[in-house]
């Protein structure tokens, strides 16, 4: 009996692995990522001309007079092949590139990370953390850290994901599996968190405006989904860890260092810490405490200079909106303190050389961003993303479902729409005026609707090139495998998407309708609120 069960499990795993191999093979038939984004940008231009000529348009669900709403209340496909479109392409090409949000964030953060790397701090810190740690505990810690890092905005993308690759390599494991685990936590578990992050008040504001189309006095607060998202943090951590250990890592197999960029491999990764390195880590710790003290002084007191100057809010504040500056300060201070202690950094020239070296390694990423930025900008200019979102929402409305099962279709619809609208706020701004009133009218509260949306929005982040940091992750990954293609990355992340989508949706259904628990403090499940 046991042998038969074991054979069945092996067969199922083999079938799933073959499916992932097929996804990888198909994806890798695509050209180089830079060429791919260039072709996609060209394709959007040509498609916009066709749809513009056909007069494709949908009703704008947002109220008349709202920002971005046309006078006739329609969202129309905008052609980039007519005179206005061609002029816009030529005048906007540079601005698309320099204004692409992740580019500046990555460049600024890497100035600091470069100092920490060149001084030897990162290598020593990784070895101090992992060489004595149990194998699977490291995986769990990386996924959990990825989820929690969302509070600090971009730190997960620009710091944790490449660091996770280095940690796995130091342990003799496949570095891409470490990066996948971190990416799954940072982006696939984007909405889950223990703390209230910058995304919470942003989504709550959009949900509130959509709810007021039905109830003009309705209020949605930033903590509307807090209970559910705290519980989701541990669920996503468990799922992400299990997928890494039992699916992704076995599929990747034994790592072959010969396929890596030699500069990314540190031969001393498995060496125990020397006395000098221990002293350096001590001084780096002193520097980190000083940075934390400075952060506290600027945020915690009533007079904190980086609190919101208008409202005094700590979350929606310059502190978090400019968090990349803290990343820069953190790594420069810690890296220099370590370097001075061990003798790897003595003058300002050493710091400058470290920064220059870090940026010189980003050549491929910068080229990739240029074409990715054009694609994203063209997609937005043509209104194709908004038209896709409204069409998908209309499909859900036409399905006729009214019971709790409507949320499964709703979550799936949000996940699909997220493939073309990578920004959580941009997608919700377009679709909330449809989904929120529609689901309120069949008896569900806006807070519950928003919680369900966040599941769909998060789970497909890790498999869509429309996600603004996808190009960065691809660039990090190619440092460990120079032949890695888009298909390999998508196939590596697809198991996380599948299992997150299934089990997170089931957890939502159990939490909300099975156990009848509120998704947040004072958040009702039904509308009008019972009692």
């Amino acid at each position: 009996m046991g042998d038969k069960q074991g054979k069945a499990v092996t067969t199922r795993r083999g079938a799933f692995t073959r499916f992932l191999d097929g996804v990888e093979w198909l994806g890798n038939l695509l050209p180089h990522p830079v060429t791919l984004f260039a072709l996609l940008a060209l394709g959007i231009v040509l498609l916009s001309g066709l749809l513009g000529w056909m007069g494709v348009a949908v009703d704008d669900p947002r109220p008349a007079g709202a920002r971005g709403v046309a006078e006739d209340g329609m969202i129309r496909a905008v052609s980039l092949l007519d005179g206005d479109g061609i002029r816009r392409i030529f005048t906007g090409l540079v601005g698309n590139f320099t204004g692409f949000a992740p580019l500046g964030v990555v460049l600024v953060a890497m100035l600091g990370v470069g100092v920490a790397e060149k001084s030897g701090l990162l290598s020593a810190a990784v070895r101090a953390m992992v060489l004595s740690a149990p194998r699977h505990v490291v995986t769990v810690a990386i996924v959990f850290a990825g989820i929690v890092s969302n509070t600090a905005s971009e730190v997960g993308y620009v710091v944790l994901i490449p660091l996770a690759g280095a940690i796995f390599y130091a342990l003799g494991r496949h570095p891409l599996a470490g990066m996948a685990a971190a990416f799954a936590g940072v982006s696939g578990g984007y909405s889950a968190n223990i703390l209230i992050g910058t995304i919470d008040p942003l989504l709550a504001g959009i949900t509130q405006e959509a709810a007021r189309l039905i109830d003009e006095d309705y209020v949605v607060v930033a903590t509307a989904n807090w209970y559910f998202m705290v519980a989701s943090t541990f669920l996503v951590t468990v799922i992400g860890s299990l997928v890494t250990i039992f699916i992704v890592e076995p599929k990747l197999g034994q790592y072959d260092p010969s396929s890596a960029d030699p500069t990314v491999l540190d031969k001393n990764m498995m060496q125990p810490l020397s006395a000098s390195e221990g002293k350096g880590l001590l001084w780096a710790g002193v520097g980190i405490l000083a940075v934390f003290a400075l952060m506290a002084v600027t945020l915690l007191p009533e007079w904190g200079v980086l609190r919101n100057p208008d409202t005094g809010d700590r979350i929606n504040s310059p502190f978090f909106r400019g968090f990349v500056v803290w990343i820069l300060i953190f790594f420069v201070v810690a890296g220099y303190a370590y370097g001075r202690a061990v003798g790897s950094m003595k003058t300002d020239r050493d710091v400058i050389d470290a920064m220059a070296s870090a940026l010189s390694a980003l050549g491929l990423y910068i080229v990739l961003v240029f074409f990715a930025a054009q694609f994203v900008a063209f997609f937005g200019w043509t209104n194709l993303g908004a038209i896709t979102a409204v069409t998908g929402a209309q499909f859900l409305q036409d399905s006729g479902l009214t019971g709790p099962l409507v949320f499964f279709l709703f979550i799936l619809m949000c996940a699909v729409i997220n493939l073309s609208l990578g920004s959580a706020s941009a997608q919700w701004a377009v679709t909330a005026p449809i989904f929120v009133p529609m689901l309120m009218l069949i008896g569900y509260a806006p807070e519950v609707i928003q919680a369900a949306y966040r599941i769909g929005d998060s789970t497909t982040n890790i498999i869509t090139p429309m996600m603004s940091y996808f190009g960065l992750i691809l660039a990090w990954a190619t440092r460990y495998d120079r032949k890695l293609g888009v298909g390999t990355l998508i196939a590596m992340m697809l198991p996380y998407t599948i299992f997150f989508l299934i089990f997170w949706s089931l957890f939502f259904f159990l939490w909300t309708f099975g156990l009848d628990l509120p998704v947040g403090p004072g958040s009702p499940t039904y509308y009008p609120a019972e009692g």
Side-chain angles (χ1 to χ4, degrees):
M1 181 71 175
D3 292 341
K4 291 181 179 179
Q5 287 179 340
K7 186 175 181 180
V9 171
T10 302
T11 302
R12 286 197 299 270
R13 286 182 179 173
F16 188 61
T17 300
R18 288 196 298 272
F19 164 70
L20 294 178
D21 289 339
V23 172
E24 180 177 357
W25 179 77
L26 288 172
N28 286 339
L29 289 178
L30 298 171
H32 189 283
V34 173
T35 307
L36 177 61
F37 276 114
L39 293 174
L40 287 173
L42 177 61
I44 289 296
V45 173
L46 298 176
L47 182 60
S48 73
L50 175 63
L51 297 182
W53 174 75
M54 293 171 61
V56 172
V58 295
D59 291 321
D60 195 326
R62 294 170 292 184
R67 189 178 66 173
V69 176
E71 292 184 3
D72 62 356
M74 301 294 290
I75 301 177
R76 302 182 183 280
V78 177
S79 173
L80 295 180
L81 279 180
D82 60 15
D84 289 338
I86 293 172
R87 284 188 289 271
R88 188 173 189 181
I89 290 173
F90 268 77
T91 57
L93 205 69
V94 174
N96 295 341
F97 177 46
T98 58
F100 193 60
L103 177 62
V105 169
V106 170
L107 294 181
V108 171
M110 285 304 297
L111 291 173
V113 172
V115 175
E117 184 175 20
K118 195 76 171 179
S119 70
L121 172 61
L122 290 186
S123 173
V126 167
R127 284 183 284 139
M129 285 189 292
V130 307
L131 290 184
S132 60
R135 181 183 183 92
H136 296 324
V137 170
V138 172
T139 306
V140 174
I142 285 174
V143 178
F144 181 78
I147 298 170
V148 175
S149 73
N150 293 323
T151 304
S153 192
E154 297 87 0
V155 66
Y157 291 107
V158 299
V159 177
L160 182 64
I161 293 174
L163 182 61
I167 289 173
F168 267 50
Y169 177 70
L171 290 172
R173 300 169 68 181
H174 203 300
L176 293 183
M179 295 182 68
F183 190 20
V186 173
S187 198
Y190 177 70
S191 279
N193 215 319
I194 293 176
L195 304 174
I196 299 298
T198 53
I199 192 64
D200 292 280
L202 182 60
L203 293 182
I206 296 172
T207 304
Q208 177 174 286
E209 291 304 311
R212 288 183 174 180
L213 296 174
I214 300 296
D215 184 341
E216 62 182 14
D217 296 321
Y218 205 94
V219 175
V220 180
V221 296
T223 57
N225 300 145
W226 187 43
Y227 293 162
F228 179 69
M229 291 307 160
V230 169
S232 295
T233 299
F234 299 98
L235 175 76
V236 173
T237 298
V238 171
I239 296 172
S241 301
L242 292 176
V243 169
T244 302
I245 294 167
F246 293 108
I247 297 178
V248 173
E249 202 164 6
K251 182 184 182 303
L252 287 172
Q254 188 68 31
Y255 179 59
D256 179 11
S258 66
S259 61
D261 179 348
T263 62
V264 80
L265 303 179
D266 186 350
K267 295 181 180 179
N268 297 317
M269 268 294 188
M270 297 303 293
Q271 299 297 320
L273 290 176
S274 65
S276 174
E277 288 174 322
K279 177 184 176 183
L281 287 176
L282 179 63
W283 278 106
V286 172
I288 290 170
L289 288 176
V291 173
F292 282 164
L294 180 61
M295 294 171 75
V297 167
T298 61
L299 182 67
L300 298 182
E302 294 294 330
W303 42 264
V305 69
L306 291 182
R307 293 176 64 164
N308 190 310
D310 299 319
T311 65
D313 188 22
R314 293 186 177 94
I315 300 298
N316 182 22
S317 65
F319 182 92
F320 283 105
R321 288 198 295 270
F323 200 82
V324 66
V325 179
W326 286 118
I327 297 175
L328 170 65
I329 295 171
F330 177 93
F331 281 107
V332 168
V333 171
Y336 185 70
Y338 177 90
R340 286 286 294 183
V342 302
S344 59
M345 288 199 163
K346 299 177 181 178
T347 67
D348 61 321
R349 183 171 292 278
D350 295 321
V351 175
I352 295 169
D353 289 343
M355 290 181 171
S357 177
L359 294 189
S360 67
L362 293 177
L364 175 61
Y365 172 67
I366 293 172
V367 175
L368 180 67
V369 162
F370 175 78
F371 291 99
Q374 308 311 323
F375 168 60
V376 172
F378 294 172
F379 198 76
W381 291 349
T382 57
N383 286 335
L384 296 185
I387 291 172
T388 301
V390 173
T391 303
Q394 190 63 49
F395 169 77
L396 178 62
Q397 192 169 11
D398 293 342
S399 69
L401 291 175
T402 57
L405 290 177
V406 72
F407 281 97
F408 284 118
L409 186 57
F410 171 53
I411 291 170
L412 182 61
M413 185 64 64
C414 293
V416 172
I417 292 173
N418 188 54
L419 295 173
S420 61
L421 273 176
S423 166
S425 57
Q427 182 190 157
W428 196 226
V430 173
T431 56
I434 302 173
F435 288 138
V436 173
M438 181 188 79
L439 294 175
M440 285 177 72
L441 290 175
I442 59 176
Y444 299 105
E447 292 86 348
V448 169
I449 302 166
Q450 178 181 283
Y453 161 74
R454 295 174 74 166
I455 297 172
D457 174 69
S458 296
T459 51
T460 50
N461 277 336
I462 48 183
I463 60 170
T464 173
M466 287 299 296
M467 199 276 292
S468 54
Y469 284 96
F470 190 88
L472 175 65
I473 308 308
L474 191 63
W476 290 138
T478 55
R479 297 179 72 185
Y480 288 104
D481 184 352
R482 285 170 290 188
K483 297 180 180 179
L484 183 138
V486 173
T488 302
L489 182 57
I490 292 177
M492 186 170 67
M493 301 311 300
L494 187 58
Y496 296 101
T497 291
I498 293 172
F499 284 94
F500 283 169
L501 192 56
I502 293 172
F503 288 100
W504 206 351
S505 298
L506 290 172
F507 182 64
F508 168 80
F509 193 83
L510 175 65
W511 180 282
T512 307
F513 303 110
L515 301 176
D516 198 26
L517 296 173
V519 294
S523 297
T525 299
Y526 300 99
Y527 177 83
E530 297 177 345

